[in-house]
Amino acid sequence: KAGVTQTPRYLIKTRGQQVTLSCSPISGHRSVSWYQQTPGQGLQFLFEYFSETQRNKGNFPGRFSGRQFSNSRSEMNVSTLELGDSALYLCASSSGQPGGNTIYFGEGSWLTVV
Amino acid sequence: ILNVEQSPQSLHVQEGDSTNFTCSFPSSNFYALHWYRWETAKSPEALFVMTLNGDEKKKGRISATLNTKEGYSYLYIKGSQPEDSATYLCARMDSSYKLIFGSGTRLLVRP
């Protein structure tokens, strides 16, 4: 079955603009989570959605937001982009049940802010 | 331990060598420990998910153990091959459904 799909794969934005990234989870998965990878910080948790509800949020400013649709597809939005937002954004999907379920990652969206 | 810590940060071995890495994590409110293998320009590949103290899992030449009471996990690679070269990440999950990642161990296997 198809894996986690993220679009776009690469994008360049200007400071002050906003960006929307999309994630299609594995079929049947109801949980989608987002992570940011920067060279200095490693993988940092942004937020997690389950059945259209945000269950948890990481320590990121309010400029970072997300949502999940009824088909489990998710989008994340970053407004008023800053140079420090340049990063790899990874989406992950799982069944969302507690315990030992595998969490599968997409290939990510590379964002460059200039 | 307050955060997830991995050691060593990087490792260079010869083809055929066996190697192991360590992941240390807070033992309180523990749900699961995940191991990933991440090659450049690819998505992180799930290796193992472990939940119970004493868990041991194996996938080909790679195996992992878990000690939840003292908060550590070991990943072993037997007879390393050049294709094993990658960054190996561990991540702890607690009741909040988020993964807290370590900074990874970068493995380079020389032919």
Side-chain angles (χ1 to χ4, degrees):
Chain A
K1 59 185 177 184
V4 181
T5 305
Q6 292 187 244
T7 57
R9 291 294 316 282
Y10 304 93
L11 67 166
I12 300 174
K13 290 285 187 178
T14 304
R15 267 184 304 176
Q17 287 186 314
Q18 66 96 25
V19 66
T20 299
L21 308 178
S22 179
C23 173
S24 294
I26 291 171
S27 177
H29 284 182
R30 295 165 66 189
S31 168
V32 173
S33 49
W34 290 88
Y35 292 82
Q36 182 196 62
Q37 164 83 353
T38 56
Q41 295 295 318
L43 273 167
Q44 302 286 313
F45 172 80
L46 280 156
F47 27 66
E48 187 253 356
Y49 288 87
F50 180 80
S51 294
E52 302 178 69
T53 300
Q54 186 182 86
R55 284 200 297 196
N56 206 348
K57 190 177 189 305
N59 295 324
F60 280 82
R63 301 185 295 107
F64 291 80
S65 62
R67 58 178 176 168
Q68 186 180 34
F69 303 96
S70 58
N71 61 358
S72 292
R73 190 177 70 85
S74 176
E75 289 180 347
M76 68 163 281
N77 184 277
V78 188
S79 62
T80 320
L81 284 165
E82 300 176 359
L83 295 179
D85 297 332
S86 295
L88 174 67
Y89 291 89
L90 286 171
C91 167
S93 84
S94 74
S95 66
Q97 303 305 316
N101 295 293
T102 300
I103 298 174
Y104 299 90
F105 281 84
E107 292 182 315
S109 293
W110 284 97
L111 170 65
T112 300
V113 181
V114 297
Chain B
I1 300 283
L2 297 178
N3 297 312
V4 178
E5 298 173 358
Q6 291 188 247
S7 63
Q9 192 170 17
S10 66
L11 196 53
H12 293 191
V13 301
Q14 285 296 129
E15 182 176 354
D17 287 349
S18 293
T19 187
N20 65 85
F21 325 133
T22 303
C23 173
S24 302
F25 52 86
S27 54
S28 62
N29 195 22
F30 172 87
Y31 264 46
L33 195 284
H34 295 243
W35 279 100
Y36 289 89
R37 180 174 174 275
W38 198 3
E39 291 182 76
T40 305
K42 295 186 178 180
S43 59
E45 174 195 354
L47 290 174
F48 305 111
V49 182
M50 295 185 290
T51 57
L52 299 175
N53 185 46
D55 253 356
E56 292 188 26
K57 296 223 172 170
K58 188 175 180 182
K59 185 177 181 179
R61 294 179 291 98
I62 305 177
S63 60
T65 61
L66 178 68
N67 183 320
T68 60
K69 294 185 177 179
E70 296 182 41
Y72 64 84
S73 175
Y74 295 134
L75 187 81
Y76 302 91
I77 302 179
K78 184 178 178 182
S80 302
Q81 300 296 308
E83 57 265 31
D84 295 330
S85 297
T87 296
Y88 291 82
L89 293 167
C90 70
R92 173 186 176 271
M93 174 174 279
D94 58 20
S95 57
S96 64
Y97 301 101
K98 65 182 179 185
L99 291 174
I100 304 298
F101 282 88
S103 54
T105 292
R106 189 173 298 178
L107 174 66
L108 178 63
V109 182
R110 299 193 199 91

